[in-house]
Amino acid sequence: IDSDTSNVNNPTWTYTEQGVYTVTLVVNPNTVCADSSSTVFDVFVAPEPIFTPPPAMCGSVPVTLTAEGVFGPTTSFQWELGGAVPPNATGGQVTAEFAANGAHTVTLTATENECVGTYTADVIVYPQPDALFSVFPIGPQLVGVPVAFTDGSATYGGTVATYEWMI
């Protein structure tokens, strides 16, 4: 436990370790007019919560988020779920559904011993594409004649990352 002494009338001190500290003020020390007063107080480390957002996903899918990081057993958690259902939740683990496309900012707030820590990350939802294509020439086809397959997938503002044709 760290400590120091001071002879100024209004000192400041920054505690570098968690613990229970006793602070004593002695006025007019070593005189017949001396007096003292003491108090005991706790110093805590602020919680440092984090969570791992899921990989980017397509469409509305339930997602479970779990509080991780540095915090004690009496920590309470508040989640702001950025447009999900439900929009807010409490507890170390929550499940929410992100229906709208885009980046949803999620904030986790951890509170312990009146100390607060927060962490923010995005949950990314892409629109679910509809796979569509056209064929030319339109059947029936002759053996040895090239057939063209043209992607016409609807992406609804998203993009197609990869294609796999089974021909």
Side-chain angles (χ1 to χ4, degrees):
I1 294 183
D2 55 10
S3 64
D4 200 359
T5 60
S6 174
N7 59 4
V8 298
N9 64 327
N10 293 309
T12 61
W13 181 254
T14 301
Y15 292 91
T16 59
E17 297 177 25
Q18 180 172 311
V20 178
Y21 293 89
T22 302
V23 175
T24 303
L25 167 63
V26 180
V27 293
N28 297 324
N30 302 316
T31 70
V32 293
C33 294
D35 191 25
S36 66
S37 175
S38 294
T39 189
V40 176
F41 64 97
D42 295 316
V43 174
F44 297 102
V45 174
E48 297 177 19
I50 63 169
F51 65 91
T52 302
M57 57 192 163
C58 286
S60 181
V61 178
V63 172
T64 299
L65 300 171
T66 304
E68 301 170 340
V70 179
F71 48 81
T74 61
T75 303
S76 63
F77 301 98
Q78 177 68 39
W79 298 82
E80 295 174 29
L81 297 166
V85 175
N88 299 298
T90 59
Q93 186 174 70
V94 298
T95 299
E97 194 162 334
F98 298 87
N101 299 327
H104 300 271
T105 299
V106 175
T107 300
L108 169 60
T109 301
T111 305
E112 182 178 32
N113 300 311
E114 299 180 28
C115 298
V116 177
T118 61
Y119 182 78
T120 300
D122 288 338
V123 173
I124 307 295
V125 179
Y126 293 114
Q128 181 71 45
D130 287 326
L132 304 168
F133 66 95
S134 60
V135 178
F136 183 81
I138 297 174
Q141 309 303 331
L142 297 173
V143 171
V145 174
V147 178
F149 302 98
T150 303
D151 174 45
S153 298
T155 60
Y156 308 106
T159 59
V160 174
T162 59
Y163 295 91
E164 182 178 1
W165 292 87
M166 290 165 265
I167 302 174

